[in-house]
Amino acid sequence: MSEPVNTGAKSAIVESEYHYSQEVIKKLSDYFDAKVVGQQQLKFSLIAAILADGHILVESVPGLAKTTAAKAISDAVDGKFARIQCTPDLLPGDIVGTQIYNQANGKFETILGPVFANFVLLDEVNRSSAKTQSAMLEAMQEKHVTIGGTTYNMPEDVFIVIATQNPIEQEGTYPLSEAQTDRFIVKEVITYPLASEEVEILNRLESGVISRVDPAVLTIKDIDQVQDIVDKVYVDESIKWYISSIVVASRRANQIQGLELGKYVRIGASPRASIAFLKMAKASALMHGRTYVTPDDVKMVRHQVLRHRIGLNYSAVADNVTVEQVIDGIVNSVKTP
């Protein structure tokens, strides 16, 4: 890589920062591959979301290594990991913490919940009640919680929530509302592995690779520093207009000439989508070895950023139209800079 030139960004990424970031990204990627077979799209979304300092929502049927992937990322950086299994009887205090009366000293003591970790896995988040979901999402958004009138902050360096949900089970679930899912920087949908990948899973199971605990290859400080480097990735004004045009187009999709799929859009994306596009495009650029964002970076994260922010009507369900098809139509209707 040639020495970066400051073309108007807050401050240019210098050569040492670039090489450092590439080393961190490679170590994170290699550690993931050693623990998880396939699921390259999930790996990209997880690493990009973490570099962009955002929370991620993962949807898939059971048994596709969602928990393994989240634990692998946490183990790689020696971060504090907490797994919360969501159930209908889970209370807000079970997540954020509560006060317990101590009979010995006659005082209330605050017990912090598992949410105070670097990486928090909310397993089957749609199984928890709306009240519990709200408590968790408040912690995600505000990065602090209040217990007994006292405010407690989340970890200042890295705080990432990885929430999973199962799309096929409806009994005993409380689907997240649009306003709640909007707080996740991306939503990733993963599918079944290939036959060859499934054989590799069996081979690793027999050899003990999957259950083996490997030492961390990075620290939380490494992730924190690379997040700062991602912020410095240059984004041209034309790219910002491109992002804005895509998001605005999602809100008036039924008015775009030639876009037949526009009639299926019930609600468009919020301004959070533009922010997510910017952050994820920066992370994508750095992951691909660049210190500047291209239109391809924006297109690469279009599904992850928009699939949970664009609502479709009942006609889309009746006509078997997916949100990804609608997103592609919207992006293709916007001129690439």
Side-chain angles (χ1 to χ4, degrees):
M1 171 197 165
S2 59
E3 188 68 28
V5 178
N6 193 339
T7 51
K10 290 178 292 185
S11 60
I13 297 175
V14 299
E15 192 80 16
S16 59
E17 289 178 324
Y18 172 79
H19 290 301
Y20 171 71
S21 66
Q22 295 305 296
E23 181 182 354
V24 170
I25 291 169
K26 186 178 188 307
K27 285 183 178 180
L28 203 54
S29 176
D30 291 345
Y31 197 98
F32 182 96
D33 289 336
K35 293 295 181 182
V36 181
V37 178
Q39 303 297 7
Q40 293 302 295
Q41 191 60 52
L42 175 61
K43 179 178 76 171
F44 170 79
S45 295
L46 270 175
I47 295 178
I50 289 170
L51 297 184
D53 193 18
H55 309 294
I56 178 172
L57 178 63
V58 182
E59 181 177 284
S60 81
V61 295
L64 295 190
K66 298 186 293 294
T67 303
T68 303
K71 188 71 167 63
I73 292 294
S74 177
D75 289 345
V77 300
D78 196 23
K80 184 179 179 182
F81 178 79
R83 178 180 180 272
I84 302 171
Q85 180 62 52
C86 296
T87 55
D89 61 347
L90 192 71
L91 299 175
D94 297 329
I95 291 179
V96 300
T98 187
Q99 286 190 313
I100 297 178
Y101 183 72
N102 188 332
Q103 290 184 334
N105 57 24
K107 296 180 180 180
F108 281 95
E109 295 179 353
T110 299
I111 306 298
L112 298 181
V115 71
F116 291 90
N118 297 118
F119 297 94
V120 180
L121 174 64
L122 276 180
D123 219 350
E124 295 187 297
V125 64
N126 54 332
R127 285 202 172 280
S128 59
S129 66
K131 188 174 183 179
T132 303
Q133 289 173 5
S134 297
M136 187 66 225
L137 292 166
E138 179 186 2
M140 289 166 50
Q141 182 71 14
E142 308 299 332
K143 294 202 173 182
H144 64 72
V145 297
T146 302
I147 304 173
T150 304
T151 299
Y152 298 89
N153 294 319
M154 300 295 119
E156 292 183 0
D157 39 23
V158 175
F159 172 60
I160 303 292
V161 174
I162 304 168
T164 71
Q165 62 180 16
N166 185 340
I168 61 174
E169 295 183 25
Q170 299 299 322
E171 187 176 347
T173 61
Y174 304 84
L176 295 173
S177 67
E178 287 90 345
Q180 290 173 319
T181 57
D182 199 24
R183 297 177 187 272
F184 291 93
I185 191 170
V186 292
K187 176 184 177 182
E188 185 56 73
V189 176
I190 55 179
T191 56
Y192 290 112
L194 302 173
S196 58
E197 293 173 339
E198 207 145 348
V199 171
E200 176 62 20
I201 293 172
L202 299 178
N203 289 335
R204 290 191 186 187
L205 184 65
E206 277 193 326
S207 64
V209 172
I210 293 179
S211 58
R212 186 180 67 208
V213 179
D214 294 329
V217 293
L218 298 166
T219 65
I220 285 294
K221 185 178 179 181
D222 290 322
I223 301 300
D224 193 27
Q225 290 179 339
V226 175
Q227 286 178 345
D228 292 337
I229 295 172
V230 168
D231 285 339
K232 297 181 182 180
V233 172
Y234 175 68
V235 184
D236 190 76
E237 196 71 15
S238 62
I239 299 294
K240 293 176 183 177
W241 275 101
Y242 181 51
I243 290 173
S244 176
S245 298
I246 292 173
V247 175
V248 171
S250 74
R251 301 168 190 159
R252 54 179 186 86
N254 60 346
Q255 303 172 19
I256 299 176
Q257 188 173 3
L259 181 59
E260 288 294 322
L261 295 176
K263 63 184 179 182
Y264 297 110
V265 177
R266 175 176 54 86
I267 184 172
S270 75
R272 281 200 186 106
S274 298
I275 297 170
F277 260 128
L278 182 70
K279 291 184 175 181
M280 287 294 291
K282 285 184 175 186
S284 173
L286 200 61
M287 289 176 68
H288 288 89
R290 282 178 279 101
T291 59
Y292 56 89
V293 172
T294 69
D296 286 339
D297 291 314
V298 177
K299 291 179 181 179
M300 188 170 294
V301 299
R302 66 191 187 281
H303 291 161
Q304 293 95 322
V305 169
L306 292 177
R307 62 163 49 105
H308 57 305
R309 292 186 167 96
I310 293 180
L312 303 185
N313 53 34
Y314 291 112
S315 297
V317 178
D319 295 343
N320 292 320
V321 174
T322 66
V323 69
E324 287 81 10
Q325 289 175 318
V326 174
I327 291 170
D328 288 341
I330 291 171
V331 172
N332 291 336
S333 72
V334 177
K335 184 180 179 180
T336 304

